Amino acid sequence: MSYTKRQFTIRKTLVRDAYAIAAVIREAFLVDCAPVNSETGILFFVKVQNPGYFKRKVPEFISAYVAEQDGMVVGEIAMSEGISSLFVLPEYQKMGIGKRLIATAIPGWAEKSKKDIVIVNSSPNAVSFYENIGFAQIGEEQLNNDVRCIPMKADITTVIGKVNS
């Protein structure tokens, strides 16, 4: 499944995308998430989110896609038990890429996982994005390896309806 909207293309993630995905996640995390995290959390996150990690993980994800513009990866989504990661380069945010990634990834994930609720551990700066597409906070803020996150969940039907409207 591949389509173009607003001059970007969404396609399935390939193992060869590992370096580009790691670069997108690193840049987006450092710009958007690092300011609200401790130095220990930042160092842990940057250490773990590397190309080797993604080369190993891509085949394990239930649903994983990248957003490209002119052949350059500008965003990514990976789903296992829920949304494992969703990052868009800062200069490409607020263009609908995150919503398109979710709209593409969730239906196949739901079919394969047999789940009707999707979960995510949102970074504090992304809570409003997730709330706008139907997610609600389900617990207090937590530290996951010294990285701040807020557990959220949503009904898949609601999310799909909101990201496609």
Side-chain angles (χ1 to χ4, degrees):
M1 176 178 188
S2 182
Y3 63 92
T4 302
K5 183 174 180 171
R6 290 192 185 181
Q7 302 176 337
F8 62 87
T9 302
I10 305 292
R11 66 166 174 78
K12 284 189 178 231
T13 299
L14 305 171
V15 172
R16 72 171 187 237
D17 295 320
Y19 286 92
I21 291 168
V24 166
I25 290 174
R26 176 181 286 239
E27 184 174 341
F29 180 84
L30 290 174
V31 170
D32 297 326
C33 305
V36 299
N37 279 286
S38 68
E39 185 175 337
T40 306
I42 295 166
L43 292 173
F44 173 82
F45 189 88
V46 170
K47 179 181 175 186
V48 171
Q49 303 296 323
N50 63 63
Y53 169 80
F54 286 103
K55 281 184 177 182
R56 289 188 308 276
K57 291 297 285 184
V58 165
E60 297 173 16
F61 291 128
I62 294 172
S63 186
Y65 291 85
V66 294
E68 287 183 318
Q69 184 177 50
D70 300 325
M72 182 177 92
V73 174
V74 298
E76 66 80 37
I77 188 170
M79 299 186 71
S80 291
E81 290 300 310
I83 298 174
S84 301
S85 66
L86 172 60
F87 287 92
V88 176
L89 288 173
E91 62 269 28
Y92 290 89
Q93 292 174 6
K94 303 198 184 312
M95 299 172 94
I97 294 172
K99 286 182 178 181
R100 298 284 30 108
L101 285 164
I102 287 174
T104 304
I106 284 184
W109 173 84
E111 184 178 318
K112 291 176 187 171
S113 70
K114 306 292 185 223
K115 295 181 181 179
D116 56 359
I117 299 290
V118 63
I119 58 170
V120 66
N121 281 324
S122 175
S123 61
N125 64 300
V127 168
S128 63
F129 167 79
Y130 285 112
E131 287 175 338
N132 287 337
I133 59 170
F135 282 79
Q137 189 170 330
I138 57 172
E140 297 299 316
E141 182 176 304
Q142 305 170 358
L143 286 177
N144 187 350
N145 295 303
D146 288 321
V147 177
R148 292 174 62 197
C149 61
I150 296 155
M152 303 181 82
K153 74 174 184 176
D155 175 83
I156 291 168
T157 306
T158 301
V159 173
I160 291 171
K162 289 190 178 245
V163 295
N164 286 323
S165 62

